[in-house]
Amino acid sequence: MASRTNGQSAQKAVRWEYAPAPEARQIVKLQPRYGLFINGEFVEPLSGQYFPTLNPANEEVLAEVAYAGAEDVDRAVRAARRAYEEVWSKLPGKERAKYLFRIARILQERSREFAVLESLDGGKPIRESRDVDIPLASAHFFYHAGWADKLEYAFAGRKPRPLGVAGQIIPWNFPLLMLAWKIAPALACGNTVVLKPAETTPLTALLMCEVFQQAELPPGVVNIITGDGQTGALLVQHPDVDKIAFTGSTEVGKKIQKAVAGTRKKLTLELGGKAANIIFEDADIDQAIEGIINGIYFNQGHVCCAGSRLLVQESIYPIVIRKLQRRIQLLRVGDPLDKNTDVGAINSLMQLRKIEHYVRIGLEEGAQVFQCECELPSKGYWFRPTVLTGVSMAHTVAREEIFGPVLAVLTFRTPDEAVEIANNTRYGLSAGVWTSKGSRYLAFASKLKAGVIWCNTYNKFDPASPFGGYKESGFGREGGVHGLRAYVALEGE
Ligand code: NAI
Ligand code: MG
């Protein structure tokens, strides 16, 4: 990829070589082919079609999964409706809670298997899937199990009731975690579910079906259908779905909003972002550098709330850039299953092309490109951790979501200018602030138009803490008591 650099050779840092430490892959038992999970069992798709899912780190086909067409979507929605009417909506909250607790515990017991599969199918480093994705997914089930029998206290005297059948569509960047964010609150509130994972990362959702079976979740309460955008659109359009929850691109989010306009369907959208990570001159710079690295590189930048715009106060710009350039040379890019790996594979060829395209535009528009010089594996989809400097808000790379390990660096002089730049975006999902002054942080954060703001840290999540955006980053919240609101109707509604 882009080879133009600025003073790269002057920034050489010593990188320790570690012996490979790959996590054993054998713990995952893959089937050659997966059907659709409808009414508690795997069934062949009525469409008769299947498609492959790859390991993006070596382009190996891992398995074939069923492609759900219109009849399949209908079958899944009917199963969810039946389970809702006959079983799930009649169960008291404390009984629903038992199932959620069981699911959480089984997921915890099988966490290594899930972590390995998540890394195999999606390309993210095992350190991320093992330490972040899987524990948080199980934490979401635990958290919502706790709510299932306490819902009547959640809404200040207003009695909640479930909505019915929820259609849920999730992306490929946090496949199991997004599944947990969607399914746990839906079930806790008494709804049943038809969920469609992303086409490049369906395998942990399919493994989760085994967990639902192990937990003896009544058939039809959760149905998992695999397919592409067309399958997702069919689910959105299905007349017997009461609620749609979507996480993914703003472009598709807008289409979904149009499709449900004028129907009774409730909608929550969690879309893209272009977060500002803002570093003031009084910040602990070394700590901030680690946070910046974590915010944009550790998940290949495949994070909707990634700190993809770095705003540096002008007085500390030279030192921040120097430290950043040094630090990115130390990143370990490669085998996602290796426990030492910091940056894994790009999720798909399509996404790799998109990132390359944006960095090319960055160069054409006059940005300077600085990249990690590490060796990349010969097979698979890879992109070097990249810093773009000499960028202003007029540059495409400062405005559009790249969704890759690419950081655009801008500068500011005063806090007011930082607010103006940070808010100068069509998105508003998240932001980061690095400062040693608590008063500055509090005053500053209240001016930022972003759903989540981290101070002196980045990408920290907790099931009790609501997550969601402003503006074109979507609406509705996931997590916390706010997240429950999206899955209930209150008395009088
Ligand atoms: P996407 O938004 O197309 O896909 C997300 C999910 O929506 C997938 O399950 C997909 O099958 C489904 N889908 C696609 N078209 C649909 C439709 N018309 N109706 C219903 N469901 C539909 O995202 P994609 O194409 O994988 O990535 C494109 C860009 O979106 C990325 O480059 C990135 O910038 C952004 N993105 C943002 C995410 C976020 O969490 N904010 C997650 C994934 C991608
Ligand atoms: Mg895959």
Side-chain angles (χ1 to χ4, degrees):
M1 201 25 246
S3 58
R4 216 189 306 167
T5 58
N6 53 343
Q8 194 147 328
S9 52
Q11 303 299 333
K12 273 263 186 285
V14 180
R15 176 133 78 92
W16 294 87
E17 287 310 325
Y18 295 153
E23 182 73 51
R25 182 191 158 147
Q26 291 81 312
I27 191 165
V28 169
K29 305 268 177 296
L30 282 172
Q31 292 162 34
R33 229 179 204 203
Y34 290 84
L36 304 166
F37 186 71
I38 297 178
N39 207 30
E41 57 184 10
F42 280 100
V43 297
E44 304 227 334
L46 298 170
S47 73
Q49 291 177 48
Y50 290 83
F51 64 98
T53 180
L54 309 179
N55 175 352
N58 60 14
E59 297 166 59
E60 167 204 359
V61 173
L62 292 167
E64 287 203 319
V65 300
Y67 180 86
E71 286 177 318
D72 297 300
V73 173
D74 184 53
R75 193 173 168 196
V77 173
R78 278 193 281 120
R81 173 62 59 193
R82 210 176 319 117
Y84 177 74
E85 304 287 350
E86 292 172 12
V87 185
W88 201 242
S89 65
K90 292 186 181 155
L91 275 188
K94 68 180 195 332
E95 294 302 317
R96 295 199 304 272
K98 285 184 195 166
Y99 290 105
L100 289 168
F101 273 124
R102 266 190 223 163
I103 292 167
R105 279 199 306 267
I106 298 169
L107 183 53
Q108 231 173 14
E109 283 162 19
R110 297 180 67 172
S111 60
R112 207 157 73 85
E113 188 183 351
F114 272 94
V116 171
L117 186 56
E118 198 73 314
S119 286
L120 277 175
D121 201 17
K124 68 170 64 195
I126 187 78
R127 204 182 57 194
E128 290 285 310
S129 45
R130 182 197 61 196
D131 298 349
V132 181
D133 296 58
I134 312 304
L136 268 176
S138 124
H140 265 268
F141 281 103
F142 275 120
Y143 176 81
H144 286 94
W147 269 121
D149 62 348
K150 301 171 196 71
L151 289 174
E152 58 190 298
Y153 308 108
F155 306 101
R158 294 180 75 190
K159 209 167 173 290
R161 58 173 199 284
L163 298 171
V165 175
Q168 307 181 318
I169 299 163
I170 57 173
W172 40 262
N173 53 344
F174 289 88
L176 190 75
L177 185 57
M178 288 304 105
L179 173 148
W181 280 28
K182 299 277 181 285
I183 292 183
L187 298 195
C189 293
N191 306 279
T192 58
V193 163
V194 178
L195 177 135
K196 192 198 86 65
E199 41 275 56
T200 57
T201 53
L203 294 179
T204 46
L206 294 168
L207 187 60
M208 210 45 206
C209 301
E210 279 183 22
V211 172
F212 298 137
Q213 286 173 331
Q214 257 180 293
E216 294 176 9
L217 188 69
V221 172
V222 173
N223 305 275
I224 306 282
I225 54 170
T226 42
D228 61 5
Q230 182 58 33
T231 310
L234 288 164
L235 182 56
V236 169
Q237 287 154 16
H238 197 290
D240 204 27
V241 168
D242 301 290
K243 190 224 155 56
I244 295 290
F246 172 76
T247 298
S249 63
T250 294
E251 190 193 341
V252 171
K254 286 180 181 175
K255 281 191 202 160
I256 292 178
Q257 196 171 8
K258 281 187 193 139
V260 305
T263 72
R264 73 192 149 85
K265 291 173 196 169
K266 296 224 175 189
L267 177 65
T268 40
L269 297 175
E270 201 262 277
L271 309 175
K274 191 73 188 176
N277 210 353
I278 304 152
I279 164 164
F280 284 99
E281 59 191 3
D282 59 67
D284 176 331
I285 294 181
D286 288 328
Q287 185 194 359
I289 296 289
E290 281 312 303
I292 291 158
I293 295 279
N294 169 33
I296 185 71
Y297 299 121
F298 281 180
N299 238 317
Q300 301 74 251
H302 296 341
V303 185
C304 48
C305 51
S308 53
R309 284 185 298 156
L310 177 63
L311 273 56
V312 188
Q313 195 153 20
E314 226 171 68
S315 51
I316 53 166
Y317 178 77
I319 182 165
V320 167
I321 291 298
R322 206 165 57 240
K323 284 181 184 264
L324 195 58
Q325 290 183 340
R326 190 170 188 285
R327 182 65 181 86
I328 108 176
Q329 291 301 9
L330 301 178
L331 289 172
R332 290 162 198 280
V333 184
D335 181 7
L337 285 189
D338 192 315
K339 290 168 211 139
N340 296 320
T341 295
D342 297 313
V343 183
I346 300 302
N347 184 266
S348 66
L349 184 60
M350 199 177 86
Q351 191 59 27
L352 176 61
R353 294 285 176 258
K354 182 175 163 185
I355 300 166
E356 289 170 349
H357 164 79
Y358 274 118
V359 172
R360 206 172 307 119
I361 292 184
L363 270 171
E364 281 164 20
E365 292 182 356
Q368 282 95 52
V369 177
F370 182 92
Q371 293 185 312
C372 176
E373 287 172 329
C374 57
E375 235 176 79
L376 297 181
S378 53
K379 276 195 136 183
Y381 314 133
W382 306 93
F383 197 84
R384 293 175 193 286
T386 299
V387 180
L388 300 174
T389 53
V391 173
S392 75
M393 282 312 293
H395 287 79
T396 308
V397 291
R399 292 196 311 270
E400 298 197 7
E401 184 179 50
I402 301 174
F403 228 65
V406 180
L407 182 67
V409 187
L410 300 99
T411 59
F412 67 92
R413 286 188 185 160
T414 63
D416 283 348
E417 197 188 346
V419 170
E420 200 184 303
I421 299 172
N423 289 341
N424 181 10
T425 163
R426 63 189 175 112
Y427 297 113
L429 195 52
S430 59
V433 183
W434 299 85
T435 171
S436 55
K437 293 194 181 75
S439 55
R440 161 167 282 164
Y441 164 68
L442 292 171
F444 191 76
S446 64
K447 295 182 188 155
L448 293 175
K449 295 270 181 295
V452 182
I453 302 169
W454 287 289
C455 179
N456 295 337
T457 186
Y458 208 86
N459 276 348
K460 287 276 179 294
F461 300 95
D462 188 282
S465 171
F467 183 89
Y470 280 65
K471 301 192 271 187
E472 289 191 24
S473 291
F475 49 79
R477 293 292 178 266
E478 295 186 291
V481 67
H482 304 72
L484 299 172
R485 187 66 184 86
Y487 287 97
V488 293
L490 298 182
E491 233 167 0
E493 283 180 358

